[in-house]
Structure formats: structure tokens, C-alpha cells
Amino acid sequence: MVKKNAEKDVGFVRQFNELKKKHPDAVLLFRKGDFYEMYKEDALKASVILALKVSDKILPLEKDPIKLLTFPRHELDKHLPKLIRSGQRVAICEAIDRPELMKKPREKTGEDLKETNISNKNTMAKKKKEQAVQEEPTQTVKTAAEEKPAKEKKTEAKAEVKSEQQVEQKAEAKQERKPREPQMITANGEKVSHGHAFQSTINLADWYFTAKIDGVQLKPQKMDAADLAAYQKKEMTVPQLMERYYPTKLMPKVSEEAYQMPKQLSGPDGAITIDKFNVYKEKDEQRPDYGKYKFYVQMGDTKMSAVASREDLNAYFDRVVSPTQLVEKNFGERLHLQSAYEKYQLPEGVDPKGVRVAKDHSDNKWKVSMDLGDKGKTSKHEISFDDGYSLFKAKTATREQIAAKYLNTEITGMLSAVTNKLEKSASMKM
């Protein structure tokens, strides 16, 4: 049995290699019983998109274990749209019967025909004897049925009429049943239905929200306690929960052209060319970000990677943000882009004249600090090489923005402490 399965696996991989030569740009899905399988580079590519685990499988004719990704047949409707939305061409390979392997009927010889004739004669003789034996019981059954009272016959007739009416009513009910009205329609014209909250069967304290978009089930999201209470009181609607837990599903999609490389980005020293951009899962167990999904970008000889946030990953896979925007957001400071520092602002009412950026002679490192006057001074914070380059060389960041990046948390704490003191002293006077 094990040998047969191994031979079958080798056959699937051989077909994969042959079809991959003909269709190198397609992801091949092989149906194997109640499961779908993907091999080699297709398995690695699909694992990132579907967030499924890849396993290694050893086959007789392969030098190294091949990569294998598998999922149940009933999950095809969930995974196939994800692959297509991510820009992949998908080919589904179903197994069919091969005519040359089917058994051919054997031609009958003269001896076979003689044996058939003899057996036919014997069976005919047996049938005649059985008919003769069964004639009398058959007549008694008929007479018993004929002697039934008229009331019983009427009852049976009514029962038959009722059962026919019930069948007709069910058929009419099916025809009259209308499709479920969508609870909302997204900016892309997709229909949202079956939006609801449900309680976890493992931890009863946890509740989840989920819905379907065009019939495809979304991954359930754990609900905030306040959102659950508002939903149960009917103070929060399904569209509001969709906005809260699936915001990228509702945003308008960007064009496919935006995902075609290369792309140009405006930099401090001229145009920056983005040659490659994708998502991968860190597999180096020695790295602190092992197991996390990361963005990878290549610009000429420069290669960068950064851990991707959940929001950015959803935006990438749902195609609502372009790779250029994601590069600007996740790598902007390392590329010394002016737009990357615009988000940093000092708290309202803080005088920017108190910002000080200077080299600390004790360790020869550039640090930033803030003098808040009678409210005190912040500690000195070392700034990174990229921020220093943006401030002094590229001139794409200001002193106030650098201070806001490193000191805002400390400044806010100092301001709130002063406010609390004033309120306390005021209450004591009263």
C-alpha cells in the first residue's frame, strides 16, 4: 500500500514538472482524493498568500525533499479567490481515467458459447418450477387485498393525496425562497452578507465577528468588549462592525497597473526606482522577528526588509494600497523621504525653540533633547544614522520633527504631570 502511494506521489510530481514547463506563470492545484496539493515553488508562493504551513515530503526519485502544501477539498472556495485576488494565475488539475488502463472485454470462444447455452437451459427449467410453486400464494394475497374493507382503502387514498400535497408545498416554498439581501455593498460592488457575532466554544469569554463577501467566508476577528455590548444592544450595525474589523475589504481597490514593477518614487537626490516588492515570512530562527511576515523591496543594488503590520498586510493582499505607498510608509525614513517625517509633530503649545540636537562628547553620539522652560528638561535621546542623514545631509527632516519622533512621549508625560499639580493645588485652596 505504501509503495502504491509513493508511486502515485511520484506520478503527481512528474505531471507537475511537465505542466510547469508549459505553464511557468501559473500556480498548479492538483486534486488528490479529498485534498488539493501544491508542490515546490507553487507551495512556497501559496503559503504566503493563504497563510498555510508548508511541509517537506521525501519521494523515491527526488534527491531532496520537495515542498508540499495541502488543504481539504471543501476549502477550495475559500482559498481560490485569495490566490486570484493576489494576481496569480491558477490551473486546477483533476485526475481522469485513462482508457488504456481499463480492462477490455474478452472475446468468447466456441467452448464459452456452449457453456452459456447449457447454463441458460438449466436456469429456464428452474424458473418454471419456481413459478409453479409460487402461483398459489400469489392468488391468496390478491384475494386478501380484494377483501379489505372500503374504509381502509379510502384512508390509504387520503394519505397518498396528503403526501403529494406536502411534496408540492415544499417545492413551491423552495421556488418562492428569495436570495438573502446583502447587509451592505462595498466600494468595489461586492455584497456583504451573514454578518454576525458568535461566542467561542473554547473560551466562552471571547466573541468573534465574521461575515461573507460575495459568498466567501471571512476570517473571524476577535471583538472588543465595548463593540460586543453595543452590537447586542443594537447600537452598532453590521456596516459599522465591517468598518471596524475589515476596513480594507471596504476600500476601493487600486489598479492592477499599480502592482506592476518597476515603479518610480521621488527621493531627495532624484527618482528612486523600485525594481521588486513582495511579502515573505521570516524563516531564520536566529532572528528576533522569526515567523513574522515582512515586506521586501529591491532598488538597484539596495535591498531592504521590514516587519509588516497587520493593517499593511491586509491592505497589500486586498489590493487597496499600491506597493509604492507601502514602500514610502515602511521604508521612507531609511530612504530619507520628506513625506516620511511629516507625521511627526510636537504637542500643541510647546515652543520649538527649546529643541537641541548636538553631539554628546562623552560617547561622540548625536542626541536630541528639549528644554520646556519652567516645566523642566527632557533626557537626551540618541538619534539613528538615517535620521541624522535626513536632518543634516538630505535636509528632508526638521529639528522639530526629530524631537517629536524621539521625545513626544516624554514631553506629554511632563506636561500632564504639571497640569495635575496645578489642579491639585487649586483644589486644596478651595
Side-chain angles (χ1 to χ4, degrees):
M1 187 70 182
V2 175
K3 190 176 180 183
K4 284 184 179 179
N5 288 338
E7 290 175 357
K8 192 178 287 186
D9 289 336
V10 170
F12 273 104
V13 175
R14 189 184 295 116
Q15 289 179 1
F16 168 82
N17 293 334
E18 292 172 358
L19 290 171
K20 201 65 181 172
K21 289 178 183 177
K22 297 179 182 178
H23 309 283
D25 59 335
V27 173
L28 304 180
L29 262 173
F30 281 83
R31 168 82 177 277
K32 189 177 177 184
D34 292 331
F35 292 86
Y36 280 97
E37 292 186 350
M38 283 173 276
Y39 309 107
K40 298 184 178 180
E41 62 267 28
D42 286 358
L44 295 172
K45 189 185 295 182
S47 69
V48 175
I49 299 169
L50 304 178
L52 296 177
K53 190 176 181 181
V54 175
S55 59
D56 292 332
K57 192 162 189 177
I58 300 173
L59 295 179
L61 300 179
E62 296 286 333
K63 293 180 181 178
D64 302 318
I66 68 162
K67 298 297 180 183
L68 172 69
L69 186 144
T70 180
F71 60 82
R73 182 182 63 180
H74 64 269
E75 292 185 2
L76 180 65
D77 292 339
K78 180 174 76 172
H79 296 314
L80 185 59
K82 290 183 181 178
L83 291 169
I84 294 170
R85 281 202 299 269
S86 68
Q88 304 297 327
R89 289 182 65 246
V90 182
I92 299 177
C93 309
E94 298 275 356
I96 59 173
D97 292 330
R98 293 169 61 184
E100 62 267 19
L101 297 179
M102 297 176 68
K103 291 183 179 179
K104 294 182 179 179
R106 188 170 60 88
E107 294 182 3
K108 292 184 178 181
T109 60
E111 292 180 3
D112 293 335
L113 293 171
K114 285 179 183 179
E115 289 177 5
T116 307
N117 290 334
I118 292 165
S119 63
N120 285 342
K121 286 178 182 179
N122 292 336
T123 35
M124 289 298 289
K126 283 181 183 178
K127 280 184 180 178
K128 285 180 180 179
K129 286 180 183 179
E130 288 173 2
Q131 284 177 358
V133 174
Q134 289 177 2
E135 276 179 2
E136 291 180 4
T138 307
Q139 288 176 358
T140 56
V141 172
K142 284 182 180 178
T143 51
E146 287 168 2
E147 289 173 2
K148 274 187 180 180
K151 287 183 180 179
E152 290 184 13
K153 287 183 179 180
K154 285 181 181 178
T155 307
E156 288 178 1
K158 285 181 180 178
E160 288 178 3
V161 171
K162 281 184 179 180
S163 62
E164 287 178 3
Q165 287 176 349
Q166 288 175 353
V167 171
E168 288 177 1
Q169 287 174 358
K170 286 181 180 179
E172 288 175 3
K174 283 184 178 179
Q175 290 177 355
E176 290 175 1
R177 189 179 295 167
K178 295 179 180 178
R180 186 190 289 260
E181 287 293 324
Q183 292 164 305
M184 70 177 297
I185 296 176
T186 68
N188 304 299
E190 297 169 322
K191 296 177 181 178
V192 177
S193 62
H194 300 81
H196 67 285
F198 66 92
Q199 192 174 21
S200 171
T201 55
I202 299 171
N203 187 357
L204 299 179
D206 293 337
W207 282 73
Y208 292 83
F209 176 74
T210 186
K212 288 184 178 182
I213 290 186
D214 284 349
V216 179
Q217 186 71 53
L218 300 177
K219 185 179 179 180
Q221 302 294 318
K222 189 176 178 181
M223 294 184 71
D224 183 71
D227 293 340
L228 175 63
Y231 177 71
Q232 290 174 335
K233 293 176 184 177
K234 296 185 178 179
E235 296 173 356
M236 204 168 190
T237 62
V238 168
Q240 289 172 324
L241 288 171
M242 286 293 297
E243 187 70 39
R244 176 86 164 79
Y245 294 102
Y246 303 100
T248 57
K249 301 289 183 187
L250 309 181
M251 297 177 184
K253 296 182 184 297
V254 300
S255 64
E256 285 297 323
E257 186 184 352
Y259 274 77
Q260 294 173 2
M261 295 295 152
K263 282 286 181 288
Q264 296 287 330
L265 186 66
S266 178
D269 300 321
I272 300 173
T273 302
I274 304 171
D275 298 308
K276 192 175 182 181
F277 182 85
N278 58 25
V279 177
Y280 73 99
K281 192 174 184 179
E282 183 57 64
K283 295 182 180 179
D284 187 354
E285 296 182 5
Q286 304 301 319
R287 293 182 63 92
D289 51 12
Y290 166 71
K292 294 183 179 180
Y293 286 96
K294 302 169 75 175
F295 288 129
Y296 169 83
V297 63
Q298 183 175 336
M299 297 159 290
D301 296 331
T302 305
K303 299 175 183 178
M304 297 181 182
S305 65
V307 175
S309 66
R310 182 178 172 183
E311 292 77 16
D312 286 345
L313 278 174
N314 288 337
Y316 174 78
F317 287 120
D318 290 329
R319 292 293 195 263
V320 297
V321 175
S322 69
T324 306
Q325 291 171 307
L326 290 171
V327 168
E328 193 171 355
K329 180 180 178 182
N330 291 275
F331 303 96
E333 293 178 19
R334 291 158 71 180
L335 295 172
H336 317 296
L337 302 180
Q338 186 174 354
S339 58
Y341 291 95
E342 290 174 353
K343 59 186 175 184
Y344 299 118
Q345 299 291 330
L346 287 170
E348 190 176 352
V350 174
D351 188 359
K353 292 179 181 179
V355 176
R356 177 175 172 79
V357 180
K359 183 180 282 189
D360 191 336
H361 295 292
S362 62
D363 55 9
N364 283 328
K365 292 181 179 179
W366 286 91
K367 296 181 180 179
V368 60
S369 60
M370 185 83 182
D371 186 354
L372 298 173
D374 57 351
K375 298 179 181 67
K377 293 180 181 180
T378 67
S379 56
K380 296 178 181 180
H381 289 257
E382 181 186 348
I383 64 176
S384 68
F385 172 81
D386 288 319
D387 290 334
Y389 187 94
S390 298
L391 176 63
F392 297 116
K393 184 74 175 177
K395 307 291 185 184
T396 52
T398 64
R399 297 161 65 88
E400 293 80 2
Q401 290 169 338
I402 297 296
K405 178 181 177 179
Y406 289 94
L407 304 174
N408 261 7
T409 304
E410 189 176 352
I411 291 171
T412 305
M414 292 173 68
L415 294 176
S416 61
V418 171
T419 306
N420 291 337
K421 280 183 181 180
L422 292 173
E423 290 177 353
K424 191 175 180 180
S425 61
S427 61
M428 289 177 68
K429 287 178 183 180
M430 291 175 68

